[in-house]
Amino acid sequence: MGANTAKEHHLVPKYWLRAFAEDGHVLGRRRTGAEHRTPVRRAAVARHFNTDPLAEGEQRVALETYLDHQVDGPCAPVLRALREGRATLEEVSDAVVLDGLAWQVVRTRAFRSFDEQVGRHVFPAVWAAEAAGYYEERLGRPLSEAERMEVFWAAVRTAPDPSVTDDPRSALRALIRGFERTRNVLAAPGRRLVLLHSTEPLLMLSDSGVALRRKDGSFTLTPPLLPETIEVFAPLSPNCLLVSTPRAHHRPRKGLTRKIAARANAGAVAWCQDAVYRLPSMPWPAPLRLAETSLEVRPPRLSAVPAQHPPGPPAAHPEIRDDDLRAILEQLAAVRSGPPVPGAKATGHS
C-alpha cells in the first residue's frame, strides 16, 4: 500500500488505469469538454473515500486496506493476463474475476450517488412509518387504520431533511452490502462472462470503471440497480472488453466490433461522475458527448393504503461470507441518532 493510501483512494484501481495510459498518463475529458493529461496516480481518485471517519489509526483505512490486499492484489495479475490475451476465462478463477467485477460496480461515486439518492427519496416514507410506531408507544395502544394513515401522511409532509439522521459510516456499510448483492447477481445461474478483443484501440474508461446496461439498451440509474437482465460492461483495456451477461448474443470469436465498442463507450459516458479516460493517442469518438449532469434516480410516486395482510418478515441483508470483510462491517456498526420526533399529532387518547 502506498504512503498516501490513507488519503487518496482510487475509485478505479491503478493496475486497471495503466492499461489506458501512455508514458504513465491518461487523457481525461470532463463534462465541460476540457481535456487534461493526467498521471495514473491522480486519475479516478477521491480523498478519504473509504475512510472510516469514526475510527482511529489503521482501523480508519481498514476497508481501503482490504481492497488493496484482498481484492486488487489477486485481481491485478488475472485481469492483466486476460486483457493481454495470455489467458482465457476458462483458464482463470471465476471467483477472482467476479470479485473484481462486483467490487468495481460499488466502489465508485456512481454507486454512492445511487445509494444517497434512493435514501433521500425513501426517507420521508421511512420516517413516517417509524412515526406510527412512535405514537403507538406513546399512546400505549395500537393505532386504528384511519389514525395510522393520518399520522403517516402528516409525517411524510413534515419529514425533516435526511441529514438529521446522517450516519457517517452508512455509505461504507452500503458499499460492503452492495458488493455481496452484486456478487450474488453476477454469479447467478444462467449468467456468463464474455471476453472480447480487438486489434485496434476502441474503448474508453470512465471513472466508474464499469457501466450497467439494461435490457432496453439504456444506461440509467433506476432501481433496482441490478435486475437479473442487466449487462455489465467492463473495459479492461482499449482493446479488451469484459462483459457479464445473461444473454447469448455476444460472440467471442467475432471479437470486439465497433458496434459493441460504441455501446461500451456510451456506457462509459453515461456512468462517469467526473471524467472519461482514454489513451492520449486515441481520438475522442465524434458522436459521443458527456451529459451536463450525472445520472439521477427519479423520485418515486408515494402511495399508502391500510394493510390487507399481516406484515411479512423484514428484508434481510445478504450474508457477508468473508471473515475479514465481516469484521470491517462490524466495525462500521450503525450510529443511532435517537428516535424520530414527527411533527404530526396522533389522534385518540392514552
Side-chain angles (χ1 to χ4, degrees):
M1 182 179 294
N4 68 339
T5 300
K7 297 180 181 179
E8 304 294 339
H9 299 170
H10 271 272
L11 309 179
V12 180
K14 285 188 287 186
Y15 76 82
W16 201 319
L17 285 159
R18 289 190 189 103
F20 293 81
E22 292 170 335
D23 299 324
H25 289 71
V26 292
L27 186 61
R29 174 173 289 204
R30 305 191 183 279
R31 296 192 181 280
T32 60
E35 294 193 338
H36 303 277
R37 281 178 60 92
T38 306
V40 166
R41 70 178 185 279
R42 296 296 183 191
V45 296
R47 195 171 182 83
H48 290 303
F49 193 75
N50 295 317
T51 296
D52 179 352
L54 303 181
E56 300 292 339
E58 290 299 315
Q59 284 190 314
R60 283 176 57 81
V61 290
L63 180 56
E64 181 68 8
T65 301
Y66 177 89
L67 290 172
D68 187 39
H69 294 173
Q70 304 298 325
V71 181
D72 297 343
C75 284
V78 172
L79 295 189
R80 189 177 299 120
L82 289 175
R83 76 188 185 213
E84 293 175 358
R86 294 185 288 104
T88 65
L89 286 169
E90 292 73 23
E91 295 170 335
V92 300
S93 168
D94 273 357
V96 171
V97 177
L98 290 174
D99 280 353
L101 198 56
W103 274 114
Q104 193 52 53
V105 170
V106 301
R107 67 192 291 180
T108 64
R109 286 194 181 102
F111 177 81
R112 188 161 297 183
S113 173
F114 170 83
D115 184 61
E116 291 172 351
Q117 290 183 65
V118 170
R120 286 197 304 271
H121 293 329
V122 303
F123 177 79
V126 174
W127 178 269
E130 292 188 357
Y134 173 79
Y135 278 113
E136 287 181 332
E137 182 178 341
R138 292 290 299 271
L139 293 169
R141 65 170 178 81
L143 296 176
S144 69
E145 292 297 352
E147 290 172 336
R148 183 176 291 274
M149 289 295 98
E150 182 181 349
V151 169
F152 179 87
W153 286 114
V156 166
R157 290 191 297 269
T158 60
D161 187 270
S163 62
V164 300
T165 59
D166 269 356
D167 174 359
R169 287 170 158 170
S170 64
L172 301 182
R173 293 197 306 276
L175 186 153
I176 293 173
R177 289 168 175 152
F179 160 73
E180 288 291 350
R181 291 192 182 94
T182 303
R183 181 63 164 75
N184 290 341
V185 169
L186 299 184
R191 292 193 71 90
R192 65 187 187 124
L193 293 171
V194 180
L195 197 65
L196 304 173
H197 290 275
S198 69
T199 57
E200 58 180 321
L202 298 174
L203 298 171
M204 304 186 296
L205 182 73
S206 81
D207 53 10
S208 294
V210 300
L212 307 186
R213 185 173 185 262
R214 295 182 175 270
K215 189 176 181 179
D216 64 2
S218 66
F219 293 95
T220 60
L221 200 65
T222 303
L225 187 64
L226 287 161
E228 294 179 355
T229 55
I230 201 76
E231 285 191 317
V232 182
F233 285 179
L236 301 186
S237 77
N239 305 70
C240 179
L241 179 67
L242 177 66
V243 184
S244 170
T245 179
R247 304 166 66 186
H249 61 296
H250 293 296
R251 308 293 183 187
R253 282 180 292 184
K254 290 186 176 181
L256 176 63
T257 65
R258 290 185 175 274
K259 184 176 180 179
I260 296 174
R263 291 176 189 158
N265 288 336
V269 167
W271 274 77
C272 88
Q273 292 292 295
D274 183 48
V276 176
Y277 302 104
R278 68 185 194 276
L279 289 173
S281 61
M282 178 180 166
W284 179 267
L288 280 181
R289 289 193 175 195
L290 284 169
E292 293 182 0
T293 59
S294 303
L295 291 173
E296 295 183 355
V297 178
R298 289 183 297 177
R301 290 186 61 186
L302 183 61
S303 63
V305 296
Q308 303 298 316
H309 304 283
H317 290 299
E319 178 186 358
I320 307 300
R321 292 163 293 184
D322 183 88
D323 291 341
D324 292 336
L325 196 57
R326 194 181 312 116
I328 296 172
L329 186 60
E330 291 172 358
Q331 173 186 315
L332 299 170
V335 178
R336 290 187 60 84
S337 301
V341 183
K345 293 183 178 181
T347 58
H349 302 282
S350 57

